[in-house]
Amino acid sequence: MSQTSRFRRALVTGGGGFLGSYVCEQLLSSGVEVIGVDNFSTGHRSYVEHLMGRSGFTLVEADVIEEFDTPGSVDLVMHLASPASIPEFYRLPLETLLVGSQGTHNALRIAHRCGARFVLASTSEVYGDPLKHPQDEEYWGNVNPIGARSVYDEAKRYAEAFTTAYGNKHGVSVGIARIFNSYGPRMRPDGRVISGFIAQALDGVPLTIHGDGNQTRSPCYVEDTARGLLAIAESDYGRPVNIGNVHEVTIRDLAQLILEVTGSRSPLKFIEADADDPRQRCPDISRAERELGWRPQVALEEGLRRTVAAASKPSADWK
Ligand code: UDP
């Protein structure tokens, strides 16, 4: 993204995370000064190493669950801070809920004080195990409130409700991105499927398929996802927008594709399914196309090739 932004200075919570690092990078490239905030509970310095020392980038280590503030004023707040994978939800269940509740309140408070535009990184998980397919933004979802992944699903549902109510009450301009599975270079094997399969394929060990592998996902290349988030920021659009790729694959086909791209001869190994695992997921992105003129540009095969190339470098520091 090289277009000039209408913003001057942005706060990115979760700026040391996988997706956050791409959002910071694209903002910097469009001329915006960036303050990234992260407590590195799930973020990692390797995500932002290449941005350190770049003019206009500041990284602050802080926990957005605690009340925090930014030095000076910002005109954009991108609230991305949250654990984002199942093992992390198990390890950090209360933190996951609290960053969606208190963390969102704290980030909104800063946007209010500064008169800034606010964008919440929400998720396709608000649709739960969807009974409607593909999922459009008017669908309310099918979520187990006390299930294995509920700490994330409900945190993001609450965050959407809080963001909407706060925007209405205090006149803050808010946007909500419902992000579908993102992947790309630098993503660490944190329990999520693509980075996990790539690590297994490159190590020549079995690719572990949870369940029968017939469940589907629609992976979106991370640069497309980040561009979608910034398109929401640049607009004044206030309702939730799906940001994802409509190319839907089964997990079994995804494993095969990763074997082809890596040239690996690893076998597939079928293990127990995850509890409450959504059976199918694919975004309807007509709202994003209509309201933002956004659509993904990087096809799955190409995105996987780029991701594998980055992971294959001897310097790849993600294990
Ligand atoms: N999955 C898998 N093997 C893995 C990791 C995940 O088969 O090593 C499956 C998982 O059960 C789910 C899908 O891949 O059906 C996507 O999982 P991920 O955790 O990446 O995303 P999410 O379930 O949050 O969409």
Side-chain angles (χ1 to χ4, degrees), residues 11 13 19 76-82 99-101 103-105 107-108 111 117-123 126 152-165 172-179 228-230 232-233 237-243:
L11 169 68
T13 76
L19 177 56
L76 173 65
V77 176
M78 305 286 289
H79 180 41
L80 276 70
S82 177
V99 77
S101 50
T104 301
H105 190 183
L108 275 161
R117 169 87 168 145
F118 178 90
V119 177
L120 170 69
S122 183
T123 170
V126 299
Y152 185 61
D153 301 8
E154 296 294 15
K156 291 294 189 180
R157 288 170 69 94
Y158 177 90
E160 286 199 12
F162 198 92
T163 297
T164 304
V172 175
S173 167
V174 300
I176 296 173
R178 289 188 180 152
I179 299 169
L229 260 70
L230 294 199
I232 293 176
Y237 197 70
R239 296 182 62 75
V241 185
N242 287 341
I243 298 295

Side-chain angles (χ1 to χ4, degrees), residues 24 83 90 108 153-154 177 214 218 225 232 266 272 277 281 284 288:
C24 290
Y90 281 126
L108 275 161
D153 301 8
E154 296 294 15
N214 291 325
S218 306
T225 307
I232 293 176
S266 288
E272 202 184 334
D277 191 26
R281 179 179 294 156
D284 176 328

Side-chain angles (χ1 to χ4, degrees), residues 125 149 181 192-193 208-210 215 217 274 277 281:
E125 290 280 338
R149 50 210 300 155
N181 302 65
R192 283 181 280 186
V193 67
T208 45
I209 296 191
H210 301 179
Q215 68 272 35
R217 294 294 187 273
D274 294 332
D277 191 26
R281 179 179 294 156

Side-chain angles (χ1 to χ4, degrees), residues 256-264 301 304-306 308-309:
Q256 286 298 349
L257 198 51
I258 287 172
L259 289 179
E260 279 165 37
V261 173
T262 53
S264 167
E301 293 75 5
L304 289 177
R305 266 193 291 278
R306 293 184 197 178
V308 168

Side-chain angles (χ1 to χ4, degrees), residues 39-172:
N39 68 352
F40 292 104
S41 62
T42 63
H44 201 274
R45 293 194 181 273
S46 65
Y47 289 143
V48 280
E49 228 161 40
H50 63 299
L51 299 179
M52 302 307 289
R54 185 158 158 179
S55 149
F57 182 63
T58 311
L59 187 62
V60 178
E61 187 160 348
D63 188 343
V64 300
I65 292 173
E66 311 295 333
E67 217 168 301
F68 74 105
D69 212 342
T70 50
S73 197
V74 292
D75 50 9
L76 173 65
V77 176
M78 305 286 289
H79 180 41
L80 276 70
S82 177
S85 75
I86 292 180
E88 291 165 352
F89 308 154
Y90 281 126
R91 184 167 63 85
L92 300 165
L94 302 185
E95 292 84 348
T96 304
L97 283 161
L98 286 169
V99 77
S101 50
Q102 279 168 216
T104 301
H105 190 183
N106 289 336
L108 275 161
R109 215 185 264 133
I110 293 173
H112 186 208
R113 173 178 68 75
C114 298
R117 169 87 168 145
F118 178 90
V119 177
L120 170 69
S122 183
T123 170
S124 55
E125 290 280 338
V126 299
Y127 301 124
D129 187 5
L131 304 177
K132 183 174 188 191
H133 194 73
Q135 295 82 53
D136 61 56
E137 294 88 347
E138 297 306 311
Y139 177 51
W140 291 354
N142 177 39
V143 173
N144 175 355
I146 55 161
R149 50 210 300 155
S150 66
V151 293
Y152 185 61
D153 301 8
E154 296 294 15
K156 291 294 189 180
R157 288 170 69 94
Y158 177 90
E160 286 199 12
F162 198 92
T163 297
T164 304
Y166 195 99
N168 288 337
K169 183 170 165 71
H170 292 297
V172 175

